[in-house]
Amino acid sequence: MFTTPTKNPRMHQFQPGPKTNSEVHQAIDAVGASLLPVMRKIRRQMHAHPELSMQELETTRFLREKLESLGFQTKTTPQAVGLTFDWETAPGAARRIGLRADIDALPIQTASTADYASQVAGVMHACGHDAHSAMMIGAACILKSLHEQDLFDEPIAIRGILQPAEETSAGAPYMLENGAADDLAAALALHVDPNLPSGFVASRCGPFTAGCDTIEVIVRGRSGHSARPYQAIDALHAASSWLQLAYARLPRIHDCREPSVFTLGTFNAGVASNVVADTAKLTGTLRTVSDSVRLQLLDALNSVSTSIEAGHGCRIDFKVSEFTPSLHNDARITEAAMRAARQLLGDGAVETIPLPSMGAEDFAFFCRKIPCCMFRLGTAGQRHAASSDYSSPLHSPDFDIDEDALVVGAKLLAACAIELSGDK
């Protein structure tokens, strides 16, 4: 009933290329710093004009025009939301490394008073996708500049991927269907982190984020007068029993050392205080890191539904929508990328994340197809000397970043792309 995705046989066959040298790192630092005004302008333009998932027409047009003005040839998707561009020092001479960024915003009303605050009512970039896009373009510009300075001993090839609809998890599959990962040896991405100081980055091998399934439970009973419940089948009572049994059952049936989170977020039932509800609906999410635990818990929820049906005489429709798989950072790719990050930023600025996040990230779809690594990029910095840190959480109406982090992210992606490239 529930299947586990197959692993790509190339997943653990990638061999990292040579390390970058200090001269290249110095050039990355210099070029990265010089690109801050460019990246800030891109980020602020996107921040002021956000678009929701699969509606990013103007965002895509803006990014295409900006990239072409910087000397990159772009390819827009069939629906004109999202685009890619390839760049290399010599055609066919290097492994091609994907640099992925997302471009969609969230249905949140901004509370920002900045001059670049969202101008679209009820929509804002509250998850840093505007920054991701600016940094990825900055990384491509760094690589292009270093090539023009003749600083590469080995060939470099990248594909920039500006992806729509990360927030709905529809964007990565859409880009993959349109060839975004074709012929890539590996892919890199980063995500802003307001809990990490600006200038710091962090990652880990193996599980990085959880997979997320959306659960919908519709309980169907029979309506009746509240004075005579024995003549009805109370869907509200049955749904309450389903909730309690699911919450009690799931934590007891799998190894507790394997993380999972099951949360019901909505419960709707009934039409009047004196009418027995004939229908009730619950929705929630199941988040797991392990595919085997996911299958085990989904089967358990099916069993809960069967038990409640038998005990209450109702009918239950149990539906699962798989939005994203769990994201696993490839060990070889991540170790090479972390090495490049330490050489570039210093050991003290690069942290190892101890445990995976139970949030979901649709870059996981890329990770199921090719070896990948995602970083977290610190964005908590000073607004100015007399002010407090940016510390508003992701998806909050006052979310913002320390824009100095744009330079760090662009430099990181460029250095990692160099580390992972090399002769075929």
Side-chain angles (χ1 to χ4, degrees):
M1 179 165 53
F2 302 107
T3 59
T4 301
T6 57
K7 298 288 185 181
N8 189 301
R10 295 172 57 196
M11 202 64 129
H12 298 290
Q13 296 177 358
F14 182 87
Q15 297 294 327
K19 299 178 182 178
T20 54
N21 58 39
S22 59
E23 183 182 3
V24 170
H25 283 154
Q26 291 171 5
I28 290 174
D29 286 337
V31 176
S34 72
L35 286 168
L36 178 56
V38 174
M39 291 187 285
R40 182 187 287 123
K41 186 173 181 179
I42 293 170
R43 186 249 168 176
R44 291 187 176 189
Q45 172 70 16
M46 291 179 65
H47 200 87
H49 304 283
E51 293 178 299
L52 295 174
S53 301
M54 297 308 292
Q55 299 177 28
E56 306 97 326
L57 295 167
E58 288 303 310
T59 302
T60 299
R61 181 194 59 76
F62 164 71
L63 293 170
R64 182 182 69 247
E65 291 177 357
K66 174 57 67 174
L67 282 162
E68 290 178 354
S69 74
L70 293 168
F72 297 100
Q73 301 278 325
T74 64
K75 179 181 178 182
T76 304
T77 64
Q79 295 184 40
V81 288
L83 57 89
T84 61
F85 63 94
D86 285 354
W87 177 87
E88 60 273 319
T89 57
R95 306 179 182 97
R96 190 174 299 280
I97 308 301
L99 304 179
R100 175 271 200 179
D102 33 20
I103 66 174
D104 56 328
L106 284 158
I108 296 174
Q109 177 61 43
T110 186
S112 173
T113 58
D115 57 6
Y116 53 85
S118 172
Q119 299 176 19
V120 182
V123 184
M124 72 169 289
H125 275 287
C127 201
H129 296 184
D130 50 347
H132 301 167
S133 300
M135 289 183 284
M136 190 272 279
I137 294 173
C141 290
I142 290 172
L143 295 172
K144 186 170 180 286
S145 177
L146 267 59
H147 175 54
E148 291 168 354
Q149 297 176 51
D150 197 25
L151 290 175
F152 291 136
D153 293 328
E154 301 287 349
I156 306 293
I158 63 165
R159 173 172 300 147
I161 302 165
L162 288 152
Q163 174 209 300
E166 189 279 329
E167 295 294 351
T168 62
S169 291
Y174 174 70
M175 296 301 285
L176 291 170
E177 289 168 7
N178 285 284
D182 291 358
D183 302 320
L184 291 184
L188 299 164
L190 51 78
H191 201 296
V192 297
D193 187 345
N195 300 307
L196 196 63
S198 182
F200 286 73
V201 299
S203 192
R204 73 188 310 271
C205 297
F208 190 78
T209 63
C212 181
D213 294 282
T214 293
I215 307 297
E216 179 183 270
V217 180
I218 300 177
V219 181
R220 305 186 190 280
R222 184 171 65 243
S223 185
H225 198 291
S226 64
R228 291 175 287 278
Y230 53 87
Q231 295 178 343
I233 298 175
D234 192 340
L236 191 156
H237 183 206
S240 298
S241 299
W242 192 99
L243 181 156
Q244 294 179 57
L245 182 56
Y247 274 178
R249 179 70 175 142
L250 264 60
R252 312 298 296 180
I253 65 168
H254 76 92
D255 190 333
C256 62
R257 294 170 296 181
E258 292 272 12
S260 68
V261 179
F262 175 60
T263 302
L264 290 168
T266 70
F267 189 144
N268 297 286
V271 294
S273 61
N274 61 347
V275 178
V276 175
D278 65 348
T279 305
K281 181 178 179 181
L282 304 119
T283 64
T285 58
L286 175 67
R287 299 172 185 272
T288 54
V289 171
S290 161
D291 289 333
S292 62
V293 169
R294 172 181 175 264
L295 298 179
Q296 186 180 25
L297 296 185
L298 288 174
D299 284 340
L301 290 174
N302 264 317
S303 297
V304 167
S305 298
T306 301
S307 297
I308 297 301
E309 283 181 330
H312 287 261
C314 61
R315 182 164 60 87
I316 295 178
D317 296 328
F318 175 68
K319 300 178 182 179
V320 180
S321 301
E322 184 183 356
F323 282 136
T324 54
S326 58
L327 191 162
H328 287 246
N329 277 343
D330 180 82
R332 287 181 179 271
I333 298 299
T334 304
E335 288 166 1
M338 293 280 276
R339 180 172 64 243
R342 291 189 181 99
Q343 292 172 349
L344 178 72
L345 304 174
D347 290 343
V350 183
E351 299 180 0
T352 299
I353 299 171
L355 295 169
S357 166
M358 296 310 290
E361 163 60 60
D362 88 342
F363 186 54
F365 287 102
F366 282 87
C367 299
R368 292 294 173 107
K369 187 175 179 66
I370 56 174
C372 293
C373 172
M374 173 169 265
F375 276 89
R376 298 212 177 276
L377 174 77
T379 56
Q382 296 288 331
R383 292 178 187 265
H384 49 75
S387 183
S388 60
D389 286 347
Y390 289 119
S391 57
S392 298
L394 298 170
H395 293 208
S396 66
D398 59 345
F399 177 76
D400 208 338
I401 68 166
D402 173 9
E403 290 184 325
D404 288 343
L406 297 174
V407 175
V408 179
K411 288 165 34 177
L412 173 70
L413 288 173
C416 290
I418 296 168
E419 179 74 18
L420 297 177
S421 292
D423 293 335
K424 290 184 176 180

